[in-house]
Amino acid sequence: MTTKWALVKTSPFHWLSESETREILSRMLTLHYNPGDRLELGREPGGWWVVEKGLMKVYTIAPDGSALTYAILGSGDSFGETTILTGHWLRATVEALEPTEVRYLSAEQFEALLKEHPDFALALLRILAERIRQSEERVFHVSRLKLGQRVAYALLGLAKTVGERTSEGIEIHLTHQEIADYVGASREAVSRTLSRWARKGWVTTSRKSIIIKDLRPLQQITEQLSSAA
């Protein structure tokens, strides 16, 4: 098992040349979102988005009012491909968690791009395959692991992908509620877990962020699980 579950972090530009990347980006509009701004997927015209800088989350609200976060999106992450390729309007909300800049391409332009650039189409297939793997891994974690184990996996994955190194440790700009939505648990239960770890000196928490001061205890939790698998 890896520590990157439920994270997108698979940009097609990783597999393209610099010139191909520049050519594609030149076709795309630049859009800006402030914290709290939302895109309603499935309720607005479809398209393809790539996060250039900032942080966003993709989530849906269940009938009981609880939220389920599908992914946290940072620089290089993209979304909207599945809706265009399948023709199904996936209902989800994408919300900016901090000032965010994205590139946007309409569905028609995106489909034309796939036909014109076989390398881009292949890169997209790799992305979708990776997302299937990540989804399978997340199902296992949410259904089988205890809360502390799920939080450890989530924090390690977030530290690698959207964490910011500071003098105090690796800072993740998410609230306790956002972590709870991410691991499929209540905010109160996640807060108790984080408070216990804070007393041990592993993390420090504030209203809007978590700082991992020591990765090793969290890594030991995931290594023990990997050995048992």
Side-chain angles (χ1 to χ4, degrees):
M1 290 181 288
T2 69
T3 59
K4 233 177 121 180
W5 61 282
L7 302 172
V8 180
K9 221 58 185 175
T10 45
S11 169
F13 300 130
H14 293 165
W15 291 284
L16 301 180
S17 68
E18 186 175 338
S19 61
E20 287 175 315
T21 298
R22 282 198 306 268
E23 196 273 327
I24 292 172
L25 289 176
S26 69
R27 302 186 184 192
M28 304 179 76
L29 294 175
T30 299
L31 304 174
H32 300 271
Y33 295 96
N34 295 317
D37 288 349
R38 297 180 179 92
L39 280 168
E40 298 295 338
L41 300 184
R43 299 176 180 87
E44 298 177 357
W48 185 54
W49 291 264
V50 179
V51 179
E52 284 212 306
K53 60 182 178 181
L55 197 64
M56 308 182 88
K57 67 175 179 180
V58 185
Y59 66 95
T60 190
I61 303 297
D64 64 1
S66 61
L68 173 64
T69 296
Y70 295 132
I72 304 296
L73 308 174
S75 177
D77 293 332
S78 64
F79 61 98
E81 306 96 331
T82 304
T83 295
I84 298 173
L85 292 172
T86 63
H88 296 296
W89 290 85
L90 172 67
R91 295 248 174 175
T93 300
V94 184
E95 180 178 339
L97 301 177
E98 59 186 42
T100 300
E101 183 175 296
V102 303
R103 295 285 189 127
Y104 169 77
L105 202 63
S106 70
E108 293 78 12
Q109 291 172 309
F110 180 78
E111 291 179 341
L113 190 63
L114 290 176
K115 296 173 182 177
E116 295 172 21
H117 292 271
D119 287 345
F120 176 75
L122 179 58
L124 196 69
L125 285 175
R126 288 173 170 154
I127 285 177
L128 297 177
E130 173 63 12
R131 288 183 183 170
I132 291 171
R133 187 195 64 76
Q134 290 176 0
S135 295
E136 291 172 345
E137 204 167 84
R138 182 175 189 180
V139 169
F140 172 83
H141 286 142
V142 172
S143 64
R144 298 295 182 87
L145 302 187
K146 295 179 180 179
L147 175 61
Q149 297 167 335
R150 303 203 308 265
V151 174
Y153 266 102
L155 291 184
L156 286 174
L158 291 165
K160 288 182 178 181
T161 54
V162 298
E164 177 183 333
R165 289 199 170 272
T166 69
S167 58
E168 297 182 38
I170 302 176
E171 186 169 11
I172 300 167
H173 296 279
L174 296 174
T175 66
H176 288 198
Q177 184 63 64
E178 286 161 347
I179 295 292
D181 294 342
Y182 190 61
V183 301
S186 70
R187 181 192 60 77
E188 293 79 9
V190 168
S191 292
R192 285 195 297 269
T193 297
L194 293 173
S195 295
R196 185 170 66 251
W197 292 353
R199 290 193 295 271
K200 295 181 179 182
W202 301 358
V203 303
T204 60
T205 67
S206 65
R207 192 167 66 89
K208 292 189 175 182
S209 71
I210 297 164
I211 297 177
I212 303 176
K213 301 177 70 69
D214 189 351
L215 288 170
R216 291 170 297 178
L218 305 182
Q219 291 169 337
Q220 288 171 0
I221 291 173
T222 62
E223 287 168 0
Q224 290 168 2
L225 293 170
S226 296
S227 299

